[in-house]
Amino acid sequence: MQTISNQQIAEMLREIGEYLAMQNIPFKPRAFEKAALTIEGLEEEVSEIYKKGGGGKDGLKALKEIPGVGASIAASIEEAINTGKMKDLERLRKSTPVRLDELSRIEGLGPKSVQKLYKALSIRNLKDLEKAARAGKIAALPGFGKKTEENILKSIGFAATSGQRFFIGHIMPQIRRIEERLRLLPESKMVTIAGSARRWKETVGDADILVVSQKPAPIMRQFVSMPEVVRVIAHGDTKSSVKVRGGLNVDLRVVPEESYGAALAYFTGSKDHNVAMRQTAIKRGWKLNEYGLFKATSEKGRAIGKEKMIAGRTEAELYETFGMDYIEPELRENTGELEAARRHALPKLVGYGDLQGDLQVQTDWTDGSDSIESMARVAMARGLKYIAITDHTKRLAMANGLDEKRILKQMAEIDKLNKKFAGKIKILKGSECDILKDGTLDLPDSVLSKLDVVGASVHSFFNLPRTEQTKRIARAMENPNVDILFHPTGRIVNKRAPYDVDVEELIRAAKRTGTIMEIDALERLDLKDEYIRKCVEAGVRMSIDSDAHSPSHYSSIEYGIAQARRGWAEKKDIINSWPVEKMLKSLK
DNA sequence: GCCGTTTTCGGCCCGACTGTTTTCAGTCG
């Protein structure tokens, strides 16, 4: 039987929610949406959770443990696991046969409008919609108009790119360019990137930028007329929204200085974090919004309708008023950070300037673009104290992988360079050694034992069955010469799914064997944040590596550090934040 | 439909912008 993925289940639940929203049913849509969001973000497959729970009644119980999943949704999930379908969804689809997924991708078109369009014009899909819009039929509907019709047509043109999420490493430079442009405006007092980019999520759907200013109008005018803007979605006094070349939506908010902290917290999110914060406020009889934290004033115990702002100028003040420590943006996902902040037990996250070394660097000996010397010089200029040269091994023939002879030659060259760079940067002898199909390594132990740092990684047989893949990698980790497991799951953000492997078992193997787990920064962000957190909890150490194949790739380190921070990692968890001697001693 | 330091009923985050209205519904984040 084909097992159903979390993504598929989430889409079904979300679709049910949208149908319910179409029918104007209150609250239920949000319940489904919430459950869908949670399930999408789960690391473990829901079908596994059900199976592990024992299936049947006990499986259902296990499903209900998932936040946002109650009796009814659990039953639907069970149904989907067993039959691949949800009867409730089938029924809804039949009663209103519209392609909700297609139509709600159109900007400004939500469930209510879709319902109206279906009732009045029998519009079921994007094609029907375009036809009706071109024929001018939509403008004639009550509640719709000429402008709406124009926007629908425009949006159809963009439908392909909307809803897409961008890899943070690719999109951050563009967001920063826009930030910089706004910073240069004389009217703007402060400019900050907010939203998921400030939380360093591995993918970003929209960019949010916050500006403090007394004169928003000229800032808004400049913003909507930037050269990269391809469409203005909204243009207001305090909020504007545009789509820029490449498909990214950028939202700009202008707030007064006294609300800066509240607004920054609000627009940084995550949504879940904000909702939890607001619920905390309500419990205390306060109100939290993007303008501040407010307390209702009362006279003789009776509310008199006036509100007094009690915090909001800075984020720190906001958290403090709640009796919490300041929560770094990377932690704001409502996954225990509020509780930890209350108990003053937040981690002291590894900092963006904390790395002293980089333990995965490729050179022109294999598939890198530059020489060992030039990679060392660039690393030095970036303030690194040591790098490990870790070229591929012979199994990776297309990368001109090193065999025993060539790697010995490379080691001799590194000795020479170390004399040249003495006192400036230390070049470590290393390898990115291929893990062969059976879990043995591509170079003999007699060679590996001569190296300072051995990373092992999978570049072949991605499709082995889960247990075999897990055993294979764990076997490599048992090798006393293997120090680090490079890019442990093989994923590439937005490009390649991880191979099927039991990561928790690998983390146990790492603990048992003293192997370091890598956070590979370049395009991979492998490990994922959830696994990083599990390593931290298990006391398994990690390294954050650029995986640089050219000098410009060192810049990816920043994203790797962000990823580590999102996984609650501290300096003590990241071996290359340590001086080289201490780092080397921590290896096998 | 979900949830619980207001706990098995009765709540459910909150505000800006747009377009079509003439006071507001729908959408978005």
Side-chain angles (χ1 to χ4, degrees):
Chain A
M1 191 184 74
Q2 182 70 38
T3 53
I4 192 160
S5 71
N6 287 355
Q7 190 59 40
Q8 285 169 304
I9 291 172
E11 275 164 20
M12 290 165 112
L13 294 175
R14 186 167 286 131
E15 199 178 334
I16 292 178
E18 282 175 357
Y19 275 117
L20 297 175
M22 270 173 73
Q23 296 169 20
N24 243 329
I25 295 169
F27 303 117
K28 288 191 193 184
R30 195 180 294 155
F32 278 96
E33 164 74 25
K34 224 178 145 184
L37 209 67
T38 308
I39 286 170
E40 224 164 29
L42 283 181
E43 203 42 61
E44 193 171 11
E45 288 294 323
V46 167
S47 53
E48 280 296 311
I49 294 174
Y50 177 71
K51 241 196 303 181
K52 259 200 217 159
K57 229 177 168 181
D58 295 330
L60 265 180
K61 223 169 150 189
L63 290 178
K64 277 200 277 188
E65 293 291 306
I66 302 169
V69 175
S72 167
I73 291 183
S76 289
I77 294 174
E78 180 183 40
E79 201 191 335
I81 291 170
N82 290 329
T83 69
K85 283 180 188 167
M86 292 184 189
K87 271 202 229 93
D88 286 345
L89 177 58
E90 301 293 315
R91 230 190 333 267
L92 287 164
R93 278 184 181 154
K94 231 179 235 162
S95 67
T96 316
V98 295
R99 289 294 304 274
L100 257 176
D101 52 335
E102 261 186 43
L103 292 173
S104 55
R105 269 219 310 275
I106 300 300
E107 232 142 357
L109 214 56
K112 304 270 169 65
S113 311
V114 170
Q115 171 83 323
K116 283 188 203 158
L117 290 169
Y118 173 65
K119 286 227 162 120
L121 300 171
S122 300
I123 288 171
R124 295 166 182 235
N125 53 40
L126 218 52
K127 237 173 144 182
D128 294 346
L129 182 71
E130 185 167 7
K131 222 168 110 188
R134 286 201 191 287
K137 283 185 187 165
I138 289 173
L141 286 181
F144 292 78
K146 204 153 184 287
K147 201 78 190 257
T148 309
E149 190 170 83
E150 274 170 28
N151 278 338
I152 285 173
L153 282 172
K154 254 191 238 168
S155 201
I156 285 173
F158 288 118
T161 51
S162 71
Q164 179 188 341
R165 294 187 69 87
F166 301 85
F167 175 50
I168 181 122
H170 292 154
I171 208 71
M172 201 63 171
Q174 187 177 14
I175 300 174
R176 281 176 168 159
R177 275 197 298 277
I178 295 173
E179 179 201 19
E180 194 50 40
R181 197 195 307 263
L182 295 170
R183 195 190 305 284
L184 293 176
L185 298 178
E187 295 85 1
S188 64
K189 199 159 176 195
M190 234 182 316
V191 183
T192 315
I193 295 172
S196 52
R198 180 159 181 251
R199 304 199 316 279
W200 295 90
K201 285 281 282 184
E202 46 186 58
T203 62
V204 172
D206 312 280
D208 298 280
I209 300 179
L210 193 68
V211 174
V212 170
S213 174
Q214 307 295 337
K215 285 197 210 154
I219 293 177
M220 289 303 182
R221 265 200 309 278
Q222 296 270 357
F223 175 69
V224 299
S225 54
M226 295 186 301
E228 59 263 57
V229 170
V230 294
R231 186 181 163 200
V232 178
I233 297 161
H235 180 180
D237 293 336
T238 64
K239 178 188 167 177
S240 293
S241 182
V242 299
K243 186 183 276 292
V244 297
R245 253 196 314 273
L248 182 75
N249 281 353
V250 186
D251 293 343
L252 180 66
R253 303 286 299 234
V254 178
V255 297
E257 195 157 9
E258 61 270 22
S259 297
Y260 175 71
L264 187 55
Y266 182 84
F267 295 111
T268 297
S270 66
K271 201 172 171 175
D272 279 352
H273 176 92
N274 286 350
V275 169
M277 284 288 283
R278 233 171 273 145
Q279 281 163 346
T280 311
I282 290 168
K283 272 180 202 146
R284 302 190 184 198
W286 300 339
K287 188 180 79 177
L288 176 63
N289 60 27
E290 60 262 58
Y291 297 105
L293 182 61
F294 299 92
K295 193 179 187 171
T297 52
S298 56
E299 263 172 20
K300 295 171 194 159
R302 215 157 44 87
I304 54 170
K306 275 190 210 155
E307 289 175 328
K308 185 176 168 240
M309 181 162 154
I310 53 176
R313 180 167 281 267
T314 67
E315 283 187 327
E317 179 191 71
L318 206 57
Y319 285 111
E320 202 189 316
T321 309
F322 279 108
M324 296 177 194
D325 288 341
Y326 175 77
I327 301 174
E328 299 281 357
E330 294 91 330
L331 299 182
R332 300 183 196 169
E333 301 292 341
N334 197 28
T335 54
E337 75 280 10
L338 293 173
E339 174 58 18
R342 234 172 260 136
R343 288 188 291 110
H344 308 293
L346 284 169
K348 211 167 167 261
L349 299 180
V350 57
Y352 285 96
D354 277 348
L355 288 200
Q356 303 202 22
D358 188 343
L359 298 179
Q360 194 188 164
V361 173
Q362 266 72 233
T363 72
D364 58 4
W365 282 66
T366 60
D367 61 349
S369 67
D370 283 53
S371 67
I372 300 173
E373 174 161 358
S374 116
M375 290 306 277
R377 283 191 189 282
V378 177
M380 211 157 69
R382 294 186 67 99
L384 291 176
K385 302 276 196 314
Y386 56 93
I387 58 170
I389 301 300
T390 54
D391 276 300
H392 289 291
T393 55
K394 60 186 189 260
R395 149 105 209 2
L396 219 57
M398 67 175 191
N400 192 24
L402 303 180
D403 58 15
E404 292 86 331
K405 250 172 115 178
R406 284 181 68 219
I407 198 166
L408 289 172
K409 235 173 113 185
Q410 186 184 56
M411 288 163 73
E413 159 134 3
I414 291 175
D415 280 334
K416 264 192 242 159
L417 286 167
N418 268 330
K419 275 188 197 134
K420 192 164 166 183
F421 288 124
K424 291 178 181 159
I425 188 167
K426 172 91 179 161
I427 306 172
L428 301 171
K429 299 164 194 162
S431 171
E432 177 174 7
C433 189
D434 251 60
I435 299 174
L436 305 180
K437 189 181 178 191
D438 63 355
T440 59
L441 293 160
D442 196 21
L443 286 177
D445 284 324
S446 57
V447 175
L448 295 180
S449 63
K450 291 196 174 82
L451 296 166
D452 299 313
V453 182
V454 175
S457 57
V458 166
H459 294 111
S460 60
F461 300 103
F462 295 117
N463 290 325
L464 294 182
R466 185 181 177 89
T467 46
E468 199 178 328
Q469 191 70 277
T470 307
K471 257 194 200 155
R472 168 201 190 190
I473 298 171
R475 183 176 176 195
M477 296 165 84
E478 303 281 351
N479 184 307
N481 292 308
V482 171
D483 299 305
I484 309 177
L485 179 62
F486 280 170
H487 47 80
T489 76
R491 73 187 298 238
I492 300 177
V493 180
N494 275 357
K495 264 189 210 153
R496 191 203 286 158
Y499 33 75
D500 194 7
V501 68
D502 184 345
V503 182
E504 294 188 36
E505 180 58 37
L506 295 185
I507 293 172
R508 280 192 289 274
K511 180 77 187 166
R512 192 171 64 237
T513 59
T515 310
I516 307 299
M517 297 287 268
E518 185 186 49
I519 300 165
D520 190 306
L522 188 70
E523 310 234 298
R524 295 177 178 270
L525 297 181
D526 183 12
L527 296 170
K528 277 180 84 159
D529 48 4
E530 294 98 331
Y531 293 137
I532 295 170
R533 202 162 161 188
K534 284 188 174 141
C535 285
V536 170
E537 281 161 11
V540 166
R541 285 172 175 148
M542 292 161 279
S543 65
I544 301 168
D545 303 329
S546 71
D547 196 356
H549 286 64
S550 76
S552 69
H553 286 167
Y554 281 122
S555 61
S556 73
I557 286 178
E558 187 181 19
Y559 306 106
I561 296 173
Q563 184 85 342
R565 289 165 63 89
R566 294 177 49 75
W568 295 49
E570 309 188 7
K571 262 178 93 164
K572 68 172 172 51
D573 303 306
I574 306 295
I575 64 164
N576 54 326
S577 69
W578 308 344
V580 66
E581 304 79 23
K582 181 179 170 190
M583 185 280 294
L584 284 173
K585 253 186 230 154
S586 75
L587 302 178
K588 291 184 203 166

